[in-house]
Amino acid sequence: MNHKDPRKKFFLCYFESTRKCNLNCRYCMAKEPRSKPKDHTTELSTEEIKRLVVDEIRKYCSHGAIAFSGGEHLLRPDALEILEYTAKAGLWSFINTNGTLLTSDLLKRVKTATGGKVIFVFSLNSILPTIQKWSRDDSLWTVIKAARLCLKAGVNFFFITTISKSNLKSFSTTVNFLKLKKIPMLRSPFVTRGMGNCHQELALTPEDMKNIIHPVLRNYALSYVSYTPFFAGPEFLEDKWKEMNVEIDQLGCQAARGFVGISAEGHVAPCVHLLDNNLKCGNVRDIALTAILRDNEIIKAVRSRETLKGKCGRCRYKQTCGGCRALAYYKTGDYMAEDPTCFFEPVDETTRSEHEELQNKNTTRFLEFIKTREPWKSLF
C-alpha cells in the first residue's frame, strides 16, 4: 500500500443484510426489534448495499472485507449478486451462515461469484449435539456437513462460538476439537441484544471468565483474533506489528478499530453486538459510512479508548485489549464503562498480568499463522 494512502489496510464491516431467517435460534441478536426505530424501517436494497456499504468500505480500506450475516444472508434473492459486486470492488466476503442452505452447487456458484475471495463462518457453540441444538435450533450435523462441503470445494471456513452459561461445561471440549484440527475460531460474547434480552440468566461472570473461558482461549493461539480480557503487552505488540508488517491494530476488543456493525436497515454501531439500541451513530442512508467512521463521536471515543472508565481506564492493556464495549453497555448502559466480565484488577497502568508472557508467545504463533497462510496473509 502506498504510504500516502490515507486508507486503513484492513477493516471488516459486519453487515446484517437481512433479518429473515429459516431458523428460530433461542437468543438470536437480530430478531426483529420489539420497538423499531422510527426512521429507516425497511432493509437496504441491492443498489443501496452496493453504493452505501460496499463502495464506502472500498473507500475506507485497501484490503477490506464484509461479513454478510443476518438473519440468513443466503435467503436474500440478490445474495450472489451482492457477493459478486463485493469481489469486483476488491473486497473479501465472509458469509456468516447457519449452513442449512449450503449445497455443492451453491458453494460452486458462491466461489465463482466471489472469484474465490470468500470465507464461510459457521456457528459452533458446542461439539456436543444436545448443547449445540439447544442454542442453535438445528443439529450439529448441519455444521459438520457444511464444513465438509467447504473442504471438498476448496473454500475457506472457520467457526464462531458464542459463549454463555449454556455451553460453559463443553467449552473446553469444543475448543480442543478445533485445536486438534488446527481450525481458527472466533469467540463471540453472549449479550442481551435482541432475543438475548429474554435470557439474562445466560450472562457470564468474572469467575466464569477466570476459571473456565480465559484459560481455554489463552492456550489456543488460533483463537486470538478478538477476545477480552487480552494481556499481550502493548510494547510487544507495537514491535510485532512493525516486524511482521501486519495490520490488526490490537487483539482485544475490535469495536470501531477492526470492524463496525451495520443493521439490515442501515444503522451503524461500533460493534455488531451494539446494534438495535440507543447508541445513535448514524444511518448510511443519511450520512456516508466513511463520514460516520471518521466523525461520529461514539465511534471516535470507542476507537481512541482515552475516556475508558473504571479498571479498563487505568489498565496497562487499555490499547491492546480495551475490554468488551458491548458487555459494558448491556451491564451499565455506558459503552465506556469497565468490562464486567474481566477478572484482572490493575492498580494502575504499571500492573502486569501473570498471563502476559504466555499471551505474547501465543500472539507470535498467531501472527506467524496469518502471515504465512492464505487467505489470511492476503487480508492482513
Side-chain angles (χ1 to χ4, degrees), residues 13 39-40 44 48-49 51-57 59-60 260-263 265-269 279-299:
C13 170
D39 59 333
H40 302 312
L44 296 177
E48 285 178 318
I49 291 171
R51 180 170 51 88
L52 305 179
V53 178
V54 179
D55 288 353
E56 287 292 296
I57 289 295
K59 292 176 188 176
Y60 191 70
V260 68
I262 303 179
S263 75
E265 300 80 21
H267 298 287
V268 180
L279 291 181
K280 304 295 184 183
C281 296
N283 188 289
V284 297
R285 283 167 163 156
D286 301 323
I287 309 171
L289 179 58
T290 49
I292 293 173
L293 294 174
R294 182 185 66 239
D295 301 328
N296 181 264
E297 293 303 321
I298 294 173
I299 297 284

Side-chain angles (χ1 to χ4, degrees), residues 1-11 57-64 245-249 378-380:
M1 181 173 64
N2 188 312
H3 70 282
K4 294 182 180 180
D5 192 336
R7 297 176 299 170
K8 289 176 67 69
K9 184 176 180 182
F10 177 76
F11 193 75
I57 289 295
R58 178 177 56 180
K59 292 176 188 176
Y60 191 70
C61 60
S62 62
H63 291 72
N245 190 30
V246 172
E247 182 162 326
I248 310 179
D249 278 348
S378 295
L379 284 168
F380 299 112

